Structure formats: structure tokens, C-alpha cells
Amino acid sequence: MFQKMIMYSRDTRDFALYLDGVLVGYAPSYLEAEAVLDQLMLELLRARHGQQVA
């Protein structure tokens, strides 16, 4: 399974999104960061199983 992490950055004043230790993006709020990571994880899982990503 994937390890997700969301960290607030005082420098950029937003939230950094990490998936398995790799920075994958930024979001302006924690809730948006969670939504983006959840969607990315879903797309990666679908791709692993050969399903088309909508």
C-alpha cells in the first residue's frame, strides 16, 4: 500500500503532498491535499490492475 504524508510548509504557506516519500505536489489546504492524494492513489491502483482511469 502507499504511504501518504501531508506537511505544512511555512516557506510556501501551503501543504506539501508526499506519496511514498516522493513530493508529488502542493495544495492550499489540508482537506484539498487529502483529496488530491486520495485521487492519485486511486489512479495508481487502477493503473496497476489495468483498469482505465476516468
Side-chain angles (χ1 to χ4, degrees):
M1 199 64 175
F2 298 104
Q3 179 186 10
K4 64 180 184 177
M5 183 171 51
I6 301 169
M7 294 182 62
Y8 181 73
S9 171
R10 289 182 178 158
D11 295 332
T12 60
R13 295 185 179 171
D14 56 11
F15 293 85
L17 292 68
Y18 294 89
L19 193 59
D20 288 341
V22 177
L23 178 65
V24 294
Y26 294 92
S29 72
Y30 190 90
L31 289 176
E32 189 173 332
E34 278 198 330
V36 169
L37 279 177
D38 288 345
Q39 182 65 34
L40 179 58
M41 288 173 37
L42 180 61
E43 291 176 12
L44 290 171
L45 287 171
R46 285 181 176 165
R48 277 188 183 175
H49 297 312
Q51 297 178 355
Q52 187 175 7
V53 178

